[in-house]
Amino acid sequence: MRTPFDAGWTVGPKRGTFEAPVAGDRRAVLLPHDALRDLPRSPDSDQGVHAGYFPGGVFEYAKTFTVPEEWRTRTVLLEFEGVYRDAVVKINGDFAAHEPNGYATFVVRADAFLRFGVDNTVTVEARAHKDSRWYAGAGIHRPVHLIVADPVHLSVDGVRVTTPDIDAERAIVAVSATVENDTRHTALTRVRWRVASPDGATVAEGSAPVTVLPGEPATARARLRVREPRLWGTGDPALHVLHTTVEDAAGTRIDEDTTTFGIRSLRLDAARGLRINGETVKLRGACVHADNGPLGAAAVDAAEDRRIRLLKAAGFNAIRSAHNPISRAMLDACDRHGVLVMDELTDVWTSAKTTFDSSLTFPERWRDDVAAMVRKDVNHPSVILYSIGNEILELATPLGSAWSRRIAEAVREDDPTRFVTNGINGIIANLGHMAEARAEVEAADPNTMMAGMGEQMARMNASDLVTASTEESASVLDVVGFNYADSRYALDAELFPERIIVGSETFPSKIEVMWQLVKEWDHVIGDFTWTGWDYIGEAGIGRVDYTDVEGYEPTGTAGPYPYVLAESGDLDITGHRRTVSYYREIVFGLRSDPWIAVHRPQHHGRPAATTPWSWDDTVASWSWGVPAGSPVEVDVYADADEVELLLDGASLGTAAVGAAPADAAPGKAFVARFATHYRPGELVAVARRDGAEVGRTALRTAAGEISVLARVDRDRLADGSEDAAFVEITLEDAAGTVPCDVDRLVSVTVEGAGTLGGLATGRARTEEPFGGPSVTTYDGRALAVVRPDGTGTVTVTVRADGCRDARVVLEVA
């Protein structure tokens, strides 16, 4: 059984053997932790825009713990769920393990290094040095567990559950358990299994005797029958629990484990797409990076769960872990909330994208990386797809095709129950032949050079060059993932009639086009937008620039310092939904009421530059510090024929959905655009179809005194590293309206049995740190994260100039 091993750690810079220690350079931390988050950012950072201008570094974590004398006859293991990166583990100063992969779970056998009856020290080194194309943080960013077991014990992650045969009357639950024997003698054991239904009742039992030779693991198997099973699905994520125990020859229990799983079936074909439990499911997908915004790269359980809850509430039913294996905590959350998962192995294979990335070790360590990902995922019903890579540089070469086949077959060997995909970008895979691809496309369409970057990418991805060069790598997959290649959907239906496609990465501004294609083509099983949740690094990739600023210089997709966030996400890093989120929800057909998105009137008429990952600079607000009568553009998102806009009951006109004023840009599906003037009051949008109202929504101008409010998602926490409270901070008037143009500095103090784990807003361009006690609100909002550090009461106080203090009280038990 695992015991949390996250408390009592310190961290500081890693000093060389002949370097003198510096007083005060170590501090106590609670794992999971990100050692980079609180370091000063700089425009001169050698990690640059990719990492949000954070520096790199080498860090050393340390923990001292007492090893009882009775552990001398036990097996002692340390399990690290993830250390970024190039982790070196030492116990009492002796080398115990090295794990290059920053996201792989690894186990350290501690027995040979322990001193019994006294204190022992474990140290963990972690490094970050131009090894990622986005912010990856550094340190022990996922939980650590201590395992103290009988010498005859279940292997770590040694229990597996599959559901290979399901009908309405019963489900066959195939279970296995691997037992290890660290003694010098043969062990006679019995493994028992018990399956509990979602309501806790026992629905199946079985057992098997297992003879375990010294040093030779033995696997016991059984097929258990569950009558009239409740199936796991996105609408009803019903979870069963498998209880596994190991008994010795005398019948004494010597080990046990619990495994949560779901009973569900997966089917796949080009005619009916992806079916779960016999029903076709289209993937409404969100790509997500690993960081947790204000917490940096720390994968705190409660933060992972909150992200999944909010993403599902925003209309997504699937996530893609971009571009590394997802955390165990987020998998658990996806299981609980019914969100499907495409878990991704890596961003590179053997060809580097950054100077010190994982291509340095991948050729030797890839098989271990695959095994680690599958061991973590195999019992999670939410996992339906393994992605073996993202935009792999060598994929379109003969040897790259061989790597494609090698990795895909290794995944199938470890887990034949899921489907294998890969995020293919034919342009990235053919960088050395781009002139040839461009010439081919321009010959067919001379206007290509006039198209935007996204359109050029789509056209080149549909070229004969890309078709031929990627065919073999695509053929080894169950589902072909295409990044920014929707141009291939119809083409491949003709060229490769049995090919099944998923839009593994697409532009957010094209969701109405993408989703229509997903609905239209049976062989296209879903779309994954870049991105569902904003993230640190790739700074400014989705920004909107106003180009009339003195000294403005285009910087392409790279955001100049002090950009820290990508500014590309349906939800910002605090979990607040941006206007694009509501547009997407309407496109998905999940929202009947319209949504009002106002272009900031202070920027009206200014020339703007965007990237393919940008959305309009709009907010849902009708509170602006501009003179009455100032021109303003208002978009209304609606699944309707027309929208009428009213201000204080007076009509401002009616606009067709999908059409635009004559002097504006071409119309966009699901959008009615109004050119009007700002006056305080109540702005109401009424959507109609065939003359009948189908929904309405309203915005009101903030009036009177503005207060600072603090609301917490829950007021009771569990003591431990896995929990956290999320305090949403807003500036509001008495009616609850949040103005967007009265931002103020807010300060947060935490007293009692908790600490301030992070404080941030959704502002992408800022020099304010995530670990400070204060932050300037953005569009009237901020988020504080509180982590427990004991039992008792926690008081969180939020202060803002000119406002009465806001307080929330939490209980930690």
Side-chain angles (χ1 to χ4, degrees):
M1 296 291 288
R2 295 177 171 95
T3 301
F5 202 62
D6 293 331
W9 291 83
T10 63
V11 67
K14 167 63 179 174
R15 303 293 180 188
T17 302
F18 301 106
E19 291 182 277
V22 176
D25 69 353
R26 299 194 68 84
R27 60 192 179 99
V29 294
L30 177 66
L31 305 184
H33 177 258
D34 177 4
L36 275 189
R37 187 201 66 170
D38 296 334
L39 296 186
R41 299 167 58 232
S42 166
D44 300 322
S45 161
D46 60 0
Q47 302 221 108
V49 65
H50 299 297
Y53 301 98
F54 280 90
V58 184
F59 308 93
E60 182 183 73
Y61 290 78
K63 176 183 172 76
T64 298
F65 63 108
T66 300
V67 176
E69 182 65 34
E70 54 266 30
W71 287 8
R72 190 182 295 273
T73 58
R74 309 281 281 174
T75 294
V76 182
L77 310 172
L78 291 175
E79 182 190 41
F80 295 86
E81 290 192 27
V83 181
Y84 199 91
R85 162 173 177 84
D86 286 317
V88 174
V89 180
K90 295 181 179 179
I91 301 175
N92 295 321
D94 294 318
F95 173 85
H98 172 225
E99 175 53 62
N101 190 313
Y103 301 99
T105 296
F106 63 100
V107 175
V108 179
R109 182 172 289 272
D111 302 335
F113 309 99
L114 296 178
R115 301 166 185 168
F116 300 96
V118 297
D119 284 348
N120 288 242
T121 298
V122 56
T123 61
V124 181
E125 299 170 14
R127 297 160 174 80
H129 41 210
K130 295 185 72 174
D131 48 32
S132 177
R133 295 189 300 116
W134 57 88
Y135 178 83
I140 309 178
H141 63 106
R142 291 179 178 173
V144 182
H145 308 280
L146 173 68
I147 301 171
V148 181
D150 189 276
V152 180
H153 56 270
L154 289 164
S155 299
V156 177
D157 291 325
V159 176
R160 290 200 173 191
V161 190
T162 60
T163 55
D165 186 357
I166 304 170
D167 59 34
E169 296 179 356
R170 92 290 182 267
I172 299 302
V173 178
V175 298
S176 67
T178 300
V179 183
E180 297 182 2
N181 181 1
D182 292 339
T183 73
R184 295 182 294 116
H185 308 286
T186 298
L188 305 179
T189 69
R190 178 172 289 275
V191 175
R192 297 187 185 275
W193 297 277
R194 178 174 68 86
V195 176
S197 68
D199 62 6
T202 297
V203 292
E205 293 182 285
S207 73
V210 188
T211 299
V212 192
L213 302 179
E216 183 180 323
T219 300
R221 300 182 185 275
R223 290 169 62 86
L224 308 179
R225 179 161 49 99
V226 175
R227 295 176 175 84
E228 298 180 350
R230 184 175 163 193
L231 303 185
W232 185 96
T234 57
D236 180 21
L239 292 171
H240 289 69
V241 178
L242 176 69
H243 299 272
T244 304
T245 59
V246 182
E247 299 173 354
D248 63 15
T252 301
R253 181 178 298 179
I254 55 176
D255 204 358
E256 60 184 341
D257 196 13
T258 59
T259 306
T260 301
F261 70 99
I263 298 175
R264 59 105 177 95
S265 66
L266 299 177
R267 295 177 183 174
L268 188 69
D269 63 72
R272 286 173 288 185
L274 170 68
R275 286 183 289 165
I276 300 178
N277 302 325
E279 298 292 329
T280 296
V281 175
K282 294 287 190 176
L283 302 176
R284 305 189 302 269
C287 297
V288 293
H289 266 315
D291 74 80
N292 265 307
L295 293 168
V300 177
D301 287 21
E304 303 285 65
D305 183 87
R306 179 175 181 264
R307 274 208 287 172
I308 294 304
R309 285 189 285 112
L310 294 181
L311 285 165
K312 184 167 187 180
F316 294 108
N317 68 0
I319 63 168
R320 173 194 181 204
S321 66
H323 302 289
N324 46 259
I326 195 173
S327 72
R328 186 179 288 160
M330 188 168 275
L331 283 178
D332 289 340
C334 290
D335 290 346
R336 285 192 298 269
H337 301 299
V339 173
L340 304 169
V341 176
M342 177 197 298
D343 203 3
E344 195 150 86
L345 179 68
T346 182
D347 187 48
V348 298
W349 292 348
T350 62
S351 296
K353 293 178 181 176
T354 55
T355 308
F356 297 105
D357 64 22
S358 61
S359 65
L360 298 173
T361 56
F362 187 84
E364 290 77 35
R365 296 297 300 257
W366 71 272
R367 193 62 185 84
D368 295 329
D369 294 346
V370 168
M373 179 177 70
V374 172
R375 278 197 306 270
K376 171 179 58 63
D377 290 7
V378 70
N379 295 322
H380 290 275
S382 57
V383 178
I384 60 170
L385 289 160
Y386 294 114
S387 171
I388 60 175
N390 171 67
E391 298 185 339
I392 299 301
L393 293 170
E394 63 269 39
L395 178 138
T397 68
L399 290 180
S401 299
W403 272 106
S404 299
R405 189 179 310 281
R406 183 180 296 133
I407 300 167
E409 290 307 310
V411 172
R412 294 185 178 104
E413 179 182 340
D414 288 355
D415 182 2
T417 70
R418 266 77 169 204
F419 305 120
V420 179
T421 187
N422 192 354
I424 297 174
N425 188 325
I427 299 173
I428 299 296
N430 282 282
L431 286 178
H433 301 280
M434 275 303 93
E436 179 183 343
R438 185 183 296 270
E440 176 189 335
V441 173
E442 288 177 6
D445 181 2
N447 294 321
T448 295
M449 286 303 295
M450 301 296 292
M453 174 182 173
E455 186 63 25
Q456 289 187 45
M457 290 176 66
R459 293 179 185 181
M460 285 190 285
N461 263 317
S463 66
D464 291 342
L465 169 67
V466 169
T467 299
S469 64
T470 62
E471 182 182 4
E472 184 177 357
S473 287
S475 72
V476 308
L477 307 172
D478 303 306
V479 179
V480 181
F482 279 131
N483 290 9
Y484 311 111
D486 52 287
S487 53
R488 297 209 62 92
Y489 296 179
L491 177 65
D492 283 6
E494 179 181 347
L495 295 178
F496 309 102
E498 296 305 316
R499 177 176 285 184
I500 301 163
I501 292 172
V502 65
S504 43
E505 192 169 317
T506 63
F507 296 122
S509 58
K510 293 183 64 178
I511 181 56
E512 76 283 8
V513 177
M514 298 296 100
W515 196 244
Q516 181 58 38
L517 291 172
V518 171
K519 292 192 298 181
E520 178 181 350
W521 293 102
D522 294 330
H523 70 291
V524 181
I525 65 172
D527 176 90
F528 287 79
T529 188
W530 192 267
T531 61
W533 193 285
D534 201 8
Y535 57 99
I536 308 172
E538 290 189 317
I541 192 174
R543 71 194 184 281
V544 175
D545 282 341
Y546 292 98
T547 60
D548 56 356
V549 176
E550 185 177 352
Y552 172 79
E553 293 183 10
T555 56
T557 59
Y561 183 85
Y563 271 101
V564 61
L565 306 179
E567 202 167 18
S568 175
D570 278 30
L571 284 72
D572 71 21
I573 63 165
T574 73
H576 179 64
R577 293 178 67 179
R578 302 169 68 213
T579 55
V580 61
S581 175
Y582 294 94
Y583 180 77
R584 186 183 309 278
E585 187 180 18
I586 288 169
V587 171
F588 282 157
L590 302 176
R591 181 183 181 87
S592 57
D593 285 330
W595 190 256
I596 303 174
V598 181
H599 294 254
R600 301 178 191 268
Q602 63 267 38
H603 299 313
H604 184 80
R606 298 180 64 188
T610 61
T611 78
W613 295 274
S614 301
W615 190 252
D616 294 325
D617 186 11
T618 56
V619 289
S621 176
W622 197 242
S623 294
W624 300 104
V626 297
S630 296
V632 61
E633 219 169 49
V634 177
D635 289 345
V636 180
Y637 310 149
D639 186 3
D641 299 331
E642 63 179 19
V643 172
E644 184 178 15
L645 199 62
L646 304 99
L647 182 60
D648 290 336
S651 179
L652 299 179
T654 299
V657 174
D663 59 347
K668 185 178 179 68
F670 300 98
V671 177
R673 177 160 292 180
F674 296 84
T676 186
H677 296 84
Y678 174 71
R679 294 196 312 274
E682 182 183 54
L683 188 70
V684 177
V686 181
R688 299 187 180 96
R689 183 182 297 111
D690 297 325
E693 181 176 329
V694 294
R696 65 171 58 206
T697 192
L699 297 175
R700 296 172 183 83
T701 305
E705 182 180 351
I706 299 298
S707 301
V708 62
L709 277 77
R711 298 181 179 89
V712 68
D713 58 337
R714 54 203 170 89
D715 57 12
R716 298 191 67 83
L717 300 178
D719 182 27
S721 60
E722 71 280 358
D723 213 349
F726 299 86
V727 182
E728 295 181 356
I729 300 166
T730 53
L731 302 175
E732 300 180 10
D733 69 3
T737 300
V738 179
C740 286
D741 57 355
V742 293
D743 286 316
R744 301 179 186 180
L745 186 72
V746 295
S747 299
V748 179
T749 58
V750 179
E751 299 173 296
T755 60
L756 182 61
L759 179 63
T761 72
R763 181 179 284 108
R765 186 183 177 110
T766 180
E767 292 188 285
E768 294 179 311
F770 297 129
S774 61
V775 71
T776 304
T777 60
Y778 180 60
D779 289 340
R781 302 177 187 276
L783 179 77
V785 184
V786 177
R787 299 185 69 180
D789 63 359
T791 59
T793 300
V794 182
T795 301
V796 183
T797 303
V798 181
R799 296 183 173 88
D801 288 343
C803 299
R804 185 175 301 173
D805 292 355
R807 286 187 176 84
V808 294
V809 178
L810 313 171
E811 293 296 329
V812 183

